[in-house]
Amino acid sequence: MLLTGGLKSLLPHVLRRIIRCNRLSISNTSGMAEGYKQANVVILHKSLADDFEKFCHANNGPLPLLYRSQPGDWKCPSLSSDSDIRTDCLQYRRYEHGACTGSLKSLKEYSEQLKDMVTFYLGCSFSFEKAVQKAGIPIRNVEQKCNVSMYKTSVPCYSVSMFHCNLVVTMRPIPESRLEAAVLATSELKEAHGAPIHIGDPGLLGIQDLSKPDYGDPVHLHPGDIPVFWACGVTGVEAVINCRTPLAFTHSPGCMFITDLKNDSVRSLGGVPQVHCISQDPLHFSIVSAEAAQKINTLETLIGIDPGERGIRHLQQQGELLGACLAMSHAGSVLITTGFPTHFTHEPPEENDGPPGALAIAAMLQALEKQVAIVTDQRAMDLNKKIIEEAVQLGILKKPIPLLSYQRESADSALLFLCENGNPGRPRFDHLIAIERAGMAADGNYYNARKVNIKHLVDPIDDLFLAAQTIPGVTTTGVGDGGNELGMGKVKDAVKKHIKNGDVIACDVEADFTVVAGVSNWGGYAIACALSVLRCCEIHDRYLRRALGFPRAPSKGLWQPALPSVTKEENLLKTLVQLGVRSGKTASLEMEVDGLPFYNTHSLMIEKLL
C-alpha cells in the first residue's frame, strides 16, 4: 500500500492509476495533486439528468458543473485523458430510494445499470486549497491529516422539480487576520465554489455543534481562528437522498475524482472583496466589494460637514455608515425610532430633523422587501400617523408603516416588546435604528442642545436599545448631529470634550454603529443611498443569498424610486410645516431644517448624495 507522503506532488493521471489499483491507505483526497481541480460525483438515471442539471445551474455555488456525461459514458474527455468513473474515486456510496445502502471501492459490478445513467462532475473546495496556502493561510485539516468538516445547514437550496435539499457547507478555520486574504484567494475560483458563503457563528447557518460534522472529520480551531464556511458539492448527495430515486451513486464525501485540469482564476466582475465584522454576538462578518465600500465611505464623508459649527468632526469615525448598512442589509426586520421634542413650549414640540431621514431609510428598506416598523412617543402617535399617511400620498413610502409605542411597565417590558414572549432566542427585529431621537443622559434625563430637560415629553425608548445589547443577533444604529441623540453613547467622551454643554447633554446609551452627520436627516438619506449601493454589489448579493438561486439583477425600477429626491423631500418638508413641526434651531415654520434653508443647502446635499 502507498502512504500519503508525496501524493500532493503526483500528477493526476498517476494518482488515478494508483486509486484504480486500490493501492492507497488514505481516507480522502484533500491535499493531493496540488493545484489541480477535484470533483464531486453524482450518477443518476438518464431520465433525471436534465432536471439535475437545472438544479446545478440554479445553485451553482455548491454545485458548479464541470462536466455532464452521456448515458453509459464512463469517461470525461474534457476533464481527464484516461479516466474511468467506475474505478477512479477512492470510495463510492450507493443510494436506493434515498437510503445509503453501501460503500464501494468500485462500480464495475454495476456496469450494466450504468449504461442508462449519467455522471455529473461538480467542482470541489479541495481544488482551492493550494491557492489558500499560497496566500500564507494554513489549511487546518491538512495540518491535522484529516478530512475537511462538512455540515448540513438550515438554508434551503433553490428547488427544481424533484430535486430539493438544504445547503451543505465545508468549514475551514481561518486566523482572523487572514480572513480577507482567504476570501480573495477563493473568490475567483468559481469552479471550486468561489468565495465563502458565511464567516462567523455556525448557529446562523443552523449548525449546532462544530465538533459533530455530518460528513468528514472534526477539525480543531486554533486560538484566534474564525470558522469560515464554503458551499459544498455534497449538497448534491443530499439532493439525491431527497429525490428517492431507485438507484444512484455518488463519491464518498472527501473521496474526490481528480481531474487533469489546473485551477484557473475567473476574474470576478464584482471587483475585489473586503471583509467587515457586523456583529460580535453572534460573531458575524459580511463581504462587500472594495468599490461599493469606497462609495459608501464617500457618502459618509459628504454628510460629515458641520454647517452648524458644533464640532461634530470630533465625533466621527470612518466606516460606521458602512458597518451599519451591512448590518441592515443582513436584517430581515428593522425597527426605527425618531422624535426630538426640543420645542417644549410649542405644540407639537417636535423638530423637523429626524422624520424625513427616518422615512428615507424606511422607504429603502421597504423596497428591499424588509419588514419595517416605527416606534415613537405615545403623545406623538397621531402626529406620526399623519406624517406616514402623507408620505404614502407623496410617493415616499410604498405603503403605510406599522406605528408602535413603548411604555416601561415592568423590568421585562423591553424584552417583551422586542422578542416573542420575551424570549431572547426569538427577536421580532434584527436591527434597531434611532435617528435624531432624544437620548438619555448619564443622570437619566433628556436634554436639548440648550441644556433644557425635556424628560416629561420623552418615552423611554432607550430601554429597547439597552435591551438589544443583551439579545444575540440584534444590532443597533444611532444617527445624530449633536451628541445628545439616542445611540451617541458610543462617542460620549468626545461629546463631553468637544460639544457645547456636552458634559450635561451627552447621551449615555450606545449603539453598535454611530452615524454622525451635519444634519441628522442627511444621515438618513446617506443610509438609503448606501443600501442601494449594496443592492448593486454582486459580491455582497452572492454572500447574502449564500451563492444559491440566481443573482438578483439590479432591477432599479423596483428600488431606485425609493431613493430620496429633492422633490419628495421638499414636499415632505412642506407637509411638516403644515402640521406645525418646526425647525430645530430657530423654531420657525419655514422651509428650513436646523436653521438651514432647504433650498441650496439640504437640496444640494441630496443631489450630492444621489
Side-chain angles (χ1 to χ4, degrees), residues 140-141 144 146-149 151 171 173 210 213 217-221:
R140 299 293 187 211
N141 65 287
Q144 295 167 31
C146 63
N147 200 351
V148 71
S149 302
Y151 304 89
M171 186 282 292
L210 284 181
D217 300 317
V219 178
H220 174 68
L221 277 75

Side-chain angles (χ1 to χ4, degrees), residues 496-517:
K496 291 172 182 177
K497 185 174 181 182
H498 298 288
I499 302 296
K500 185 180 178 182
N501 300 325
D503 56 328
V504 174
I505 69 171
C507 176
D508 201 51
V509 180
E510 292 189 22
D512 295 310
F513 305 99
T514 302
V515 177
V516 179

Side-chain angles (χ1 to χ4, degrees), residues 336-448:
I336 303 172
T337 185
T338 190
F340 208 121
T342 190
H343 303 304
F344 53 93
T345 60
H346 293 279
E347 181 56 41
E350 268 69 26
E351 63 167 296
N352 57 17
D353 188 18
L359 291 174
I361 297 168
M364 181 55 66
L365 291 171
Q366 271 191 342
L368 296 176
E369 300 181 334
K370 300 183 186 296
Q371 298 295 315
V372 192
I374 289 179
V375 60
T376 191
D377 301 295
Q378 181 63 47
R379 57 160 188 81
M381 288 288 279
D382 287 344
L383 172 65
N384 279 277
K385 186 180 177 188
K386 289 174 186 173
I387 293 171
I388 289 170
E389 287 170 353
E390 287 296 324
V392 174
Q393 291 293 319
L394 293 170
I396 293 169
L397 295 174
K398 283 195 301 186
K399 59 184 179 182
I401 293 173
L403 188 61
L404 311 172
S405 66
Y406 167 77
Q407 299 295 319
R408 185 193 299 140
E409 295 170 353
S410 71
D412 296 330
S413 290
L415 264 183
L416 288 165
F417 184 95
L418 292 174
C419 305
E420 292 182 30
N421 301 317
N423 178 2
R426 302 187 67 185
R428 292 189 176 95
F429 307 99
D430 307 307
H431 195 87
L432 277 55
I433 304 169
I435 175 168
E436 192 64 21
R437 169 73 194 175
M440 185 172 65
D443 63 2
N445 292 316
Y446 297 79
Y447 296 96
N448 66 14

